[in-house]
Amino acid sequence: MSVPAPLPPINAAPVSAAKRLAYVLRHFRLVYPNAPDVAIGYADSQPAITVTDGAGTFFQQNTPYPAEPNYRDWAGQRIPFFFDHQAEAPLLTLSAGRAAINADIISAAFYLLSGWQEYFLDTRDRHGRFPYAASVQKQYGFVALPVVNYYFDVLKTAVEHVSGQRLQTRRWAGAAPFAAFITHDIDNLRSGWKAPAKAALKQGQLLRFGQQLWRHLTQPDAWDNLETVADTVASYGARSTFFMLLERRPGVDGTPNADYAITPALRQRLQLLKQQGSEICLHGSIGTAADVAHLGREVKILQPDTQGLRFHYLRWEPRSTPNLIDAAECFRYDSTLGFAEHFGFRNSYCHPFFPFNFATGEAHTFLEIPLNVMDATLHHPNYLQLQPQDIMPALQPMLAEVERFVGVATVLWHNDHFDPANTVTGPRQFAEIMGYLRPRGAAFLTGSQIMAEL
Ligand SMILES: [Zn+2]
């Protein structure tokens, strides 16, 4: 293992109240496209909806964490409100033609949606990632609540009061109550035989080992299953989005990349999957999240299938990765932002969003479709250790939140987790998730289809 590279320097412009307001309201209007043009702001501009300024000089400094939140009940949930210093005041004060929001939900929404904590904290894990353990979501226990959507719900109530109009939440694919984005990172296509062969060898069962080896040499691997994955997903009326890993050599830090190469035969199979409705995207290999030239080389290999991106091992350096996605000039969306260690909402938001560019104070041009649940998160030595029967009960409250706010539920199920030998986070558990989503009316969309709706 080599020494981790130093973090890129902070390169952030001070974020004025006007910039926070513009960034947050842009996203509010994406969720409520018919919201009338009611003036919303801080008291100095005397808008119809006044938000108490509770941020002080926080956004002029480089401090990762705000003061601890105040908790209030909203829509039947106990919600943390950051930048809320008037615990005794009601959240909303409504009067004729006016509304006052007595907690700074604009600053709180901006703080969470922009990923401020990740940008300004220096802590990273052994994969160079912002650790869940260092997050406010972990500290205050709200990783499975899309808190920003609750803040927007407060704002929606104020806008409806002032305007006298009902706000409609954006719907997906016409009228679906929420959307689901079913994705597969393809790290391995050739290693399904290894674990059973090793087990046979360890138990001294040489005949069984020989059979495994012979099978490996003469038959397709159990993980060489892209068509099975696509067919399984299609059986629920859904389409797969595949993220292909192009690098076989391990990263310079020794982290493994793909166990397969993109051969002409594999390209042909991907072409066929595409024709059948799947989407093919890039799974940026180790190193690409920190090196635009490296990312650019992989873009060239996979072109034209480079609308969407997810980094291998969910590698993401907040101070540089978003900039290099923009610089690559081909990606329209990314879907890396989830915590590997826990399912839920890394930016406390259950809709796609445009990540904040700290250098310019504007939004990036690519869309982030945040990742909510990955198979390995649910059962892994470093992550959770849920038993198979505990998986759906654990996920249901989070999925219900996505449905409540007509959001997008992004699921990552690796192709090797479709191996029937995996009985913990395998095909059966995937079927349970799909069996939950489908009858609830989820619109199953690929990344490009989600883009096309915005
Ligand atoms: Zn991967």
Side-chain angles (χ1 to χ4, degrees):
M1 280 288 184
S2 54
V3 181
L7 291 191
I10 287 170
N11 173 24
V15 185
S16 65
K19 292 217 152 147
R20 299 197 298 273
L21 200 56
Y23 181 72
V24 169
L25 292 184
R26 178 184 177 189
H27 287 92
F28 176 75
R29 291 184 197 289
L30 277 173
V31 177
Y32 302 103
N34 79 330
D37 206 6
V38 176
I40 302 165
Y42 294 109
D44 50 3
S45 60
Q46 299 194 316
I49 298 175
T50 307
V51 180
T52 299
D53 186 348
T57 58
F58 181 83
F59 294 105
Q60 273 69 57
Q61 298 162 12
N62 293 350
T63 317
Y65 303 121
E68 71 176 86
N70 178 40
Y71 289 86
R72 295 174 183 269
D73 291 328
W74 184 261
Q77 284 282 11
R78 192 161 175 266
I79 301 298
F81 285 79
F82 292 95
F83 307 107
D84 175 7
H85 309 298
Q86 303 181 76
E88 69 294 342
L91 183 54
L92 263 179
T93 312
L94 304 176
S95 54
R98 308 190 74 82
I101 301 172
N102 300 313
D104 192 349
I105 59 170
I106 297 295
S107 291
F110 174 78
Y111 173 78
L112 293 166
L113 200 53
S114 69
W116 182 280
Q117 58 177 348
E118 315 188 12
Y119 189 91
F120 288 102
L121 192 75
D122 286 328
T123 309
R124 301 289 184 260
D125 71 6
R126 66 204 172 91
H127 292 296
R129 304 177 299 202
F130 172 72
Y132 171 60
S135 69
V136 289
Q137 285 84 358
K138 167 80 163 61
Q139 189 179 356
Y140 301 110
F142 64 92
V143 70
L145 277 184
V147 166
V148 174
N149 295 92
Y150 280 89
Y151 297 157
F152 281 7
D153 197 56
V154 175
L155 196 51
K156 168 186 176 248
T157 306
V159 172
E160 288 183 336
H161 167 77
V162 168
S163 68
Q165 291 178 38
R166 292 276 297 163
L167 265 55
Q168 298 299 323
T169 313
R170 159 186 305 287
R171 297 259 153 186
W172 300 96
F178 66 115
F181 179 34
I182 306 302
T183 70
H184 320 285
D185 295 356
I186 312 303
D187 301 340
N188 298 298
L189 289 174
R190 298 178 47 79
S191 303
W193 70 286
K194 285 182 183 168
K198 260 186 209 159
L201 200 58
K202 219 171 154 186
Q203 291 157 14
Q205 298 187 355
L206 292 183
L207 181 64
R208 197 151 62 86
F209 173 74
Q211 285 166 343
Q212 297 281 1
L213 191 62
W214 178 250
R215 203 176 164 265
H216 167 62
L217 294 170
T218 58
Q219 290 177 34
D221 194 274
W223 293 355
D224 193 358
N225 58 356
L226 301 182
E227 293 77 10
T228 307
V229 170
D231 289 348
T232 305
V233 169
S235 74
Y236 296 94
R239 292 171 175 203
S240 289
T241 299
F242 291 101
F243 292 89
M244 302 304 296
L245 190 57
L246 307 183
E247 179 61 75
R248 289 194 79 167
R249 290 165 301 182
V252 287
D253 60 2
T255 308
N257 277 313
D259 77 343
Y260 63 94
I262 300 277
T263 59
L266 180 54
R267 275 186 195 277
Q268 231 168 32
R269 288 168 64 194
L270 295 177
Q271 194 58 35
L272 199 61
L273 287 166
K274 235 168 97 168
Q275 284 166 15
Q276 292 163 352
S278 295
E279 183 163 321
I280 311 298
C281 297
L282 181 65
H283 195 34
S285 75
I286 299 298
T288 55
D291 180 347
V292 70
H294 191 174
L295 182 65
R297 287 197 293 278
E298 298 194 349
V299 164
K300 277 214 177 79
I301 299 169
L302 199 64
Q303 265 166 352
D305 296 305
T306 48
Q307 293 230 349
L309 174 66
R310 178 182 291 136
F311 290 99
H312 188 39
Y313 276 77
L314 308 184
R315 293 241 179 165
W316 183 275
E317 171 43 57
R319 296 180 192 168
S320 59
T321 305
N323 295 317
L324 66 88
I325 297 176
D326 270 349
E329 287 187 339
C330 59
F331 298 108
R332 297 182 64 220
Y333 72 89
D334 171 86
S335 185
T336 304
L337 289 181
F339 288 116
E341 304 95 319
H342 207 291
F343 57 86
F345 308 102
R346 175 152 160 180
N347 295 75
S348 301
Y349 195 53
C350 68
H351 278 247
F353 65 97
F354 294 96
F356 187 71
N357 186 334
F358 284 89
T360 65
E362 314 282 338
H364 283 286
T365 52
F366 70 92
L367 188 74
E368 177 64 30
I369 309 176
L371 172 61
N372 303 122
V373 57
M374 165 169 89
D375 43 22
T377 298
L378 302 169
H379 194 98
H380 187 279
N382 298 333
Y383 306 146
L384 302 176
Q385 275 104 43
L386 296 177
Q387 295 307 308
Q389 68 275 14
D390 299 331
I391 289 176
M392 276 321 291
L395 294 182
Q396 271 181 21
M398 173 193 77
L399 296 172
E401 293 292 336
V402 175
E403 189 176 346
R404 168 178 215 159
F405 293 109
V406 199
V408 178
T410 304
V411 176
L412 161 52
W413 218 257
H414 291 80
N415 64 304
D416 53 3
H417 288 247
F418 284 81
D419 182 345
N422 185 334
T423 55
V424 182
T425 52
R428 189 154 174 184
Q429 290 69 39
F430 179 75
E432 284 173 10
I433 294 173
M434 297 300 275
Y436 174 87
L437 295 172
R438 191 185 195 185
R440 302 195 74 81
F444 291 107
L445 301 174
T446 64
S448 297
Q449 288 175 320
I450 290 168
M451 288 281 334
E453 299 236 341
L454 295 179

